[in-house]
Amino acid sequence: QVQLVESGGGSVQTGGSLRLSCTASGYTSSPYFMGWYRQAPGQEREGVAGVYVGGGSGSPYYYPSAKGRFTISQDTAKNTVFLQMNSLQPDDTALYTCAAAQSLINWISQPDYWGPGAQVTVSS
């Protein structure tokens, strides 16, 4: 059974930075695609960014809200992805949830696995 565990959430002021981590356990094959979605109170869940772990093709995938401010990276040996978030704004306040799937296409349409989430709060 695949399990995802996030860490690194917290509270910052506008313009601050945070780094989220997500570690997967239980994957028996690679590559796989892993990254973050987020959901703010009263809003629908939206994608943030993802990347292949353990090979795969293509560059990291960013949704428009993350481009230019967020950077996703991965450490294959640790089965971990990192989301560096800079220039955070109050609109970035949300529950950030790690998700994984066997491919980018599957990750966009319906991830197979989800973590419990990490709260990010940005105050003005």
Side-chain angles (χ1 to χ4, degrees):
Q1 180 69 18
V2 174
Q3 291 187 327
L4 308 179
V5 178
E6 302 105 334
S7 63
S11 299
V12 295
Q13 293 188 329
T14 298
S17 299
L18 283 173
R19 189 172 86 150
L20 301 179
S21 301
C22 177
T23 299
S25 62
Y27 258 109
T28 58
S29 64
S30 61
Y32 55 93
F33 198 89
M34 192 157 72
W36 275 270
Y37 284 78
R38 69 182 184 183
Q39 186 168 22
Q43 298 188 20
E44 292 187 358
R45 185 164 56 199
E46 63 175 1
V48 178
V51 66
Y52 273 105
V53 179
S57 60
S59 302
Y61 185 83
Y62 293 96
Y63 281 80
S65 61
K67 288 184 179 179
R69 298 186 300 127
F70 297 179
T71 302
I72 193 165
S73 60
Q74 61 89 27
D75 184 332
T76 298
K78 297 181 179 179
N79 292 313
T80 299
V81 296
F82 305 95
L83 184 68
Q84 178 67 41
M85 303 184 292
N86 298 327
S87 301
L88 285 164
Q89 303 297 314
D91 286 348
D92 295 314
T93 295
L95 181 69
Y96 285 69
T97 306
C98 184
Q102 208 60 51
S103 70
L104 167 60
I105 297 299
N106 290 348
W107 186 83
I108 291 174
S109 61
Q110 183 59 55
D112 298 315
Y113 306 102
W114 295 89
Q119 180 66 37
V120 171
T121 302
V122 185
S123 58
S124 58

